């Protein structure tokens, strides 16, 4: 018997298996019997990652992932960690790390589509905030997005224009209007987040808004609003009378 064969047999004997857990406690069986809505976050995650490691079942591994002490831990961590960060977790290889990344991205897309459902146009800042909130409120750096619209106020472009440092993003009107002209947009809304969670506009936010508004007047492209995303809250500079 080769060394590899002996290692494989040893691994099989020592690997903790989900079948060793009573059937009524296994996430997959619980989902079949009771429905996904009755599963805990860890149980849902265990069903998705399917297998554990040599030392842990998939449920124990899921519990470990959710217990990590990073900013916005728990299930929100799935929106924050990168591929290398996931792979630093013992028991998480490349395949599981990719699965976890995809879970986070899928949740963002579901939220975005739900926000758009039945609302093909944006008529108030609350709709803009709902559309962007789950994408942006967890970000640890400032990000500026441009939402571009046609003559009927239909969204024709959603572009990340700038990713900044922990507390600053730098963008010029030129970069913004290049994207607007590419999409033949007649109007736009700027959206950016404050990692602090407080959406109150800074003096820099107000100055940038004025510069973009003035450049848009020259080009015939209207800046409709500048919305700042906080943690479940937002501020509209137009509603505040700052533009």
């Amino acid at each position: 018997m080769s060394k590899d064969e002996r290692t494989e047999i040893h691994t099989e004997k020592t690997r903790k298996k989900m079948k060793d857990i009573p059937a009524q406690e296994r996430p997959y069986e619980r989902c079949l019997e009771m429905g996904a809505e009755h599963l805990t976050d860890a149980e849902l995650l265990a069903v998705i990652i399917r297998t554990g490691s040599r030392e842990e079942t998939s449920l124990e591994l899921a519990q470990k992932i959710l217990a990590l002490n990073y900013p916005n831990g728990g299930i929100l961590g799935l929106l924050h960690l990168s591929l290398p960060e996931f792979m630093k977790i013992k028991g998480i290889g490349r395949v599981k790390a990719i699965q976890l990344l995809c879970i986070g991205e899928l949740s963002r897309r579901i939220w975005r589509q739900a926000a758009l459902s039945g609302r093909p146009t944006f008529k108030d800042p609350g709709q803009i905030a709902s559309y962007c909130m789950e994408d942006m409120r967890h970000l640890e750096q400032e990000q500026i997005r441009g939402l571009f619209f046609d003559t009927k106020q239909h969204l024709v472009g959603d572009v990340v224009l700038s990713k900044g440092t922990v507390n600053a993003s730098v963008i010029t009107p030129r970069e913004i209007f290049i994207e607007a002209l590419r999409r033949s947009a007649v109007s736009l809304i700027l959206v950016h987040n404050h990692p602090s969670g407080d959406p109150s506009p800074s003096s820099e936010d107000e100055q940038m808004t004025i510069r973009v508004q003035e450049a848009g007047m020259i080009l015939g492209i209207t800046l409709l609003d500048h919305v700042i995303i906080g943690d479940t809250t937002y501020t509209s500079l137009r509603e505040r009378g700052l533009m």
Side-chain angles (χ1 to χ4, degrees):
M1 183 180 295
S2 71
K3 181 179 178 182
D4 289 343
E5 289 172 328
R6 289 196 299 271
T7 299
E8 185 175 346
I9 291 174
H10 176 73
T11 299
E12 186 64 26
K13 287 181 178 179
T14 58
R15 182 185 296 275
K16 294 186 72 174
K17 296 181 179 179
M18 190 62 74
K19 70 180 182 181
D20 297 329
I21 299 175
Q24 66 272 19
E25 297 178 18
R26 299 174 201 161
Y28 187 87
E29 283 77 2
R30 278 172 48 76
C31 185
L32 282 175
E33 180 181 352
M34 304 176 65
E37 67 273 17
H38 292 284
L39 270 59
T40 65
D41 292 346
E43 288 172 332
L44 288 169
L45 191 55
V47 171
I48 293 169
I49 62 178
R50 297 181 57 210
T51 59
S53 64
R54 288 178 57 180
E55 296 84 12
E56 299 168 305
T57 65
S58 59
L59 181 57
E60 290 169 334
L61 183 56
Q63 290 168 337
K64 182 171 72 174
I65 293 168
L66 297 178
L68 289 175
N69 185 25
Y70 42 70
N72 296 309
I75 199 168
L76 293 180
L78 300 178
L79 300 176
H80 287 270
L81 297 183
S82 65
L83 184 67
E85 288 171 330
F86 275 125
M87 291 179 67
K88 288 179 182 178
I89 302 170
K90 188 176 181 181
I92 299 295
R94 185 178 299 273
V95 172
K96 282 188 174 61
I98 291 173
Q99 288 174 319
L100 293 169
L101 281 180
C102 289
I103 293 168
E105 180 57 29
L106 186 61
S107 69
R108 279 189 285 264
R109 295 188 187 190
I110 290 172
W111 178 270
R112 188 185 305 134
Q113 189 61 40
L116 279 174
S117 179
R119 294 187 295 187
T121 61
F122 293 99
K123 297 180 180 179
D124 63 68
Q127 290 177 323
I128 294 293
S130 293
Y131 174 70
C132 296
M133 184 64 70
E134 288 308 301
D135 274 352
M136 302 186 76
R137 73 184 183 97
H138 304 297
L139 296 175
E140 295 167 10
Q141 294 182 330
E142 282 200 11
Q143 181 185 97
I144 296 180
R145 284 165 66 175
L147 305 184
F148 302 99
F149 303 91
D150 63 16
T151 55
K152 295 183 179 181
Q153 196 63 14
H154 292 145
L155 184 67
V156 294
D158 176 356
V159 182
V160 175
L161 299 167
S162 172
K163 293 181 180 181
T165 62
V166 172
N167 58 9
S169 262
V170 179
I171 187 74
T172 65
R174 178 178 179 275
E175 294 170 279
I176 295 169
F177 287 105
I178 284 175
E179 296 294 344
L181 293 169
R182 278 178 181 164
R183 291 160 177 78
S184 300
V186 300
S187 61
L188 70 110
I189 293 174
L190 290 178
V191 185
H192 87 275
N193 65 299
H194 281 179
S196 67
D198 179 2
S200 302
S202 66
S203 59
E204 290 82 5
D205 295 334
E206 295 178 21
Q207 291 167 13
M208 180 185 73
T209 303
I210 293 170
R211 290 200 306 272
V212 174
Q213 188 174 30
E214 291 175 347
M217 290 177 182
I218 295 172
L219 294 171
I221 301 174
T222 304
L223 177 63
L224 299 173
D225 204 345
H226 183 175
V227 176
I228 302 173
I229 301 293
D231 189 2
T232 70
T233 63
Y234 72 91
T235 292
S236 160
L237 270 70
R238 180 166 293 280
E239 284 185 338
R240 285 204 174 189
L242 299 175
M243 56 178 297

